[in-house]
Amino acid sequence: MAGDKVDPTHQFMINKIFSIEFGGIDFSFTNASLFMVATVVVAAGFLYFTTSKRSLVPGRMQSVSEISYEFIASMLREGAGSHGMKFFPMVFSLFMFILTANMLGMIPYFFTITSQIIVTFALALFVIGTVLVYGFYKHGLGFLNVFVPSGVPGILLPLVISIEIISFLSRPISLSVRLFANMLAGHITLKVFAGFVASLGTLGALGIGGAVLPLIMTVALTGLEFLVAFLQAYVFAVLTCMYLNDAVHPGGH
Amino acid sequence: MFVTSAYAQSTTTEGAETHDAAAGEVHTETGVAHEGGHGSGVFPPFDTSTFASQLLWLAITFGLFYLLMSKVVMPRIAGILETRGDTIARDLDDAARSKAEADAAIAAYEQELAAAKAKGNAIASTAREAAKAKATADRTAVEVSLNNKISAAEARIADIKTKALADVGAIAEETATAVVEQLIGGKVSKAEIASAVKASAK
């Protein structure tokens, strides 16, 4: 009984809701799948229904949708220039999807899909893959200029180019691990402190007195986690813009 | 670690089962996977058996989300913002035009006001001039008539004076004749009297 309550990794367990299997591979609809669907429904539903009136003077909810739109638009324009605006739907979708997933994960008993490394890694690969495909499609081999910073003396070039390649290759890893680790660590910390509250609360007067400290921590961490949930979605979107800038303007740094 | 040790200490009094749970909790805190009766026992995010399902459903859901965003939501928001931008621009234009009209109206009003003032001044000065001219004419006429009267009066006075002076001679002669008759009782010729009067009148 107590084991289930205080196990901080239990929240990341993936449980099958109904089984689907193709060619021996397990494609079951799980609680993770359910919350992916929920994320799409919540995010798309919010954006769809708050803008359905198309008011000239926006209400609060329509303002939220418009502000999100303009926020990402200005972020992308600053990050990748006006040529980068063709990736606006992609960056906007990524930001809204990750933000909604993170925020849904803050609700107790809800599953946090961004705490699964495979999800964040897939999203990061999607970004890097877009950068590579678009970069080579648009600039051909000129895209390789992205590894050659301008104004570097000839002797240092091999060193600098190898550093640039390593940093480029580490991008999908850092992009995915940053989001994954932040969500995972935050939720584990919250669970541990909340677990202390519950455990100490069962131990009589002294325990209840002692439980106040982890309770304060839990409340404070919850606030922090909401900040992190937004911040990580923002960071993911900003880095996506920066990487897309490389695809649009290789050799522009 | 005060809390943890207190927890561990107190759980020993509740029997071995909860103690195991506490130990399990401490293990996971340090990141070590535990055999907590949750299936495979691998730390869930690193459980590769779930990857295929997650990738598939992520592709389906995110792909759907991307389509919804790029085909429905974003064109709609772009439309809203564009309409608003157009409306604001149009309103600003209207406001600018209204301001120009108001400025023109003010300018016209001021022009008319200035014209009216000028006209008023002109009328006033004309009236003043006319009044002045009339006054001058009247005065001249009065002066002329006065002068006429004066000269007529002067003429009459001179006339009367001449007549009177003439009468004075006659009266003096008559009087002298009467006086002389009374005094000396004789007749004196008219010529003597007249010369005597003339001599005394000098």
Side-chain angles (χ1 to χ4, degrees):
Chain A
M1 171 212 94
D4 272 352
K5 203 198 281 176
V6 296
D7 175 6
T9 58
H10 180 254
Q11 57 180 319
F12 305 116
M13 285 300 300
I14 290 178
N15 305 309
K16 288 180 192 177
I17 293 176
F18 52 86
S19 290
I20 303 169
E21 204 172 309
F22 288 126
I25 306 173
D26 181 18
F27 287 120
S28 302
F29 189 84
T30 62
N31 54 345
S33 320
L34 177 67
F35 277 94
M36 290 174 195
V37 173
T39 301
V40 171
V41 169
V42 169
F46 179 85
L47 290 168
Y48 183 83
F49 287 110
T50 54
T51 55
S52 59
K53 278 201 290 182
R54 300 165 197 257
S55 312
L56 195 60
V57 179
R60 285 183 202 175
M61 289 300 135
Q62 190 181 326
S63 283
V64 172
S65 295
E66 287 173 11
I67 288 167
S68 318
Y69 180 93
E70 291 183 317
F71 176 64
I72 301 298
S74 70
M75 182 198 292
L76 184 58
R77 200 173 289 115
E78 280 166 25
S82 52
H83 290 297
M85 291 311 283
K86 58 174 75 72
F87 297 110
F88 187 24
M90 173 186 163
V91 180
F92 186 71
S93 305
L94 277 171
F95 176 76
M96 291 310 296
F97 188 82
I98 294 172
L99 180 67
T100 313
N102 289 355
M103 286 301 178
L104 279 182
M106 286 306 296
I107 301 172
Y109 297 108
F110 276 34
F111 186 84
T112 316
I113 55 176
T114 44
S115 67
Q116 301 293 318
I117 180 75
I118 187 67
V119 171
T120 62
F121 192 65
L123 292 175
L125 273 189
F126 172 52
V127 171
I128 301 298
T130 308
V131 170
L132 284 173
V133 169
Y134 182 81
F136 279 116
Y137 166 74
K138 195 78 182 175
H139 305 284
L141 288 179
F143 178 61
L144 294 175
N145 278 332
V146 82
F147 300 120
V148 189
S150 52
V152 174
I155 307 164
L156 284 176
L157 264 183
L159 180 67
V160 171
I161 287 173
S162 53
I163 290 174
E164 287 284 335
I165 290 175
I166 292 169
S167 91
F168 190 88
L169 291 178
S170 64
R171 276 175 184 182
I173 300 165
S174 67
L175 193 59
S176 57
V177 169
R178 183 182 299 109
L179 177 58
F180 155 72
N182 267 288
M183 299 317 294
L184 183 84
H187 283 260
I188 289 180
T189 319
L190 260 184
K191 194 82 174 185
V192 167
F193 277 98
F196 285 159
V197 177
S199 309
L200 285 169
T202 60
L203 299 178
L206 191 67
I208 291 174
V212 169
L213 277 176
L215 179 63
I216 293 171
M217 277 302 285
T218 308
V219 172
L221 279 173
T222 306
L224 181 72
E225 281 307 302
F226 274 110
L227 177 69
V228 168
F230 169 76
L231 209 60
Q232 287 306 318
Y234 172 74
V235 166
F236 199 99
V238 165
L239 288 174
T240 301
C241 292
M242 280 177 56
Y243 299 159
L244 288 170
N245 186 39
D246 283 347
V248 181
H249 312 107
H253 64 125
Chain B
M1 282 292 106
F2 159 76
V3 178
T4 315
S5 61
Y7 176 73
Q9 212 174 18
S10 55
T11 45
T12 50
T13 62
E14 290 184 14
E17 199 188 30
T18 45
H19 185 258
D20 281 349
E25 181 216 321
V26 171
H27 277 187
T28 49
E29 251 186 284
T30 55
V32 177
H34 67 104
E35 305 289 335
H38 293 303
S40 61
V42 184
F43 183 53
F46 297 136
D47 184 357
T48 50
S49 68
T50 65
F51 281 8
S53 144
Q54 293 202 61
L55 284 177
L56 173 75
W57 287 103
L58 178 68
I60 293 172
T61 53
F62 188 76
L64 184 69
F65 188 68
Y66 182 90
L67 277 181
L68 278 174
M69 289 300 108
S70 58
K71 300 290 175 211
V72 181
V73 168
M74 296 178 68
R76 179 188 280 183
I77 298 181
I80 291 173
L81 295 178
E82 201 176 323
T83 311
R84 181 171 311 145
D86 289 353
T87 310
I88 289 173
R90 203 174 54 236
D91 287 357
L92 282 179
D93 283 354
D94 283 354
R97 206 168 46 243
S98 299
K99 189 176 178 295
E101 280 170 11
D103 285 350
I106 287 173
Y109 160 77
E110 276 175 356
Q111 206 175 353
E112 273 178 28
L113 189 67
K117 263 185 189 164
K119 206 173 154 196
N121 281 340
I123 290 171
S125 63
T126 314
R128 204 163 52 236
E129 291 301 319
K132 213 192 237 171
K134 192 165 172 277
T136 314
D138 285 354
R139 201 177 65 228
T140 319
V142 169
E143 274 172 7
V144 167
S145 84
L146 280 180
N147 284 343
N148 287 345
K149 278 182 187 165
I150 286 169
S151 46
E154 274 173 354
R156 220 172 80 219
I157 287 167
D159 200 28
I160 290 170
K161 199 175 161 188
T162 323
K163 230 162 92 184
L165 280 178
D167 285 352
V168 166
I171 290 167
E173 279 172 21
E174 272 175 29
T175 311
T177 311
V179 167
V180 167
E181 269 176 21
Q182 288 290 325
L183 284 177
I184 55 176
K187 281 263 184 187
V188 184
S189 72
K190 252 192 170 173
E192 272 176 79
I193 291 295
S195 66
V197 167
K198 233 171 209 168
S200 64
K202 274 184 186 168

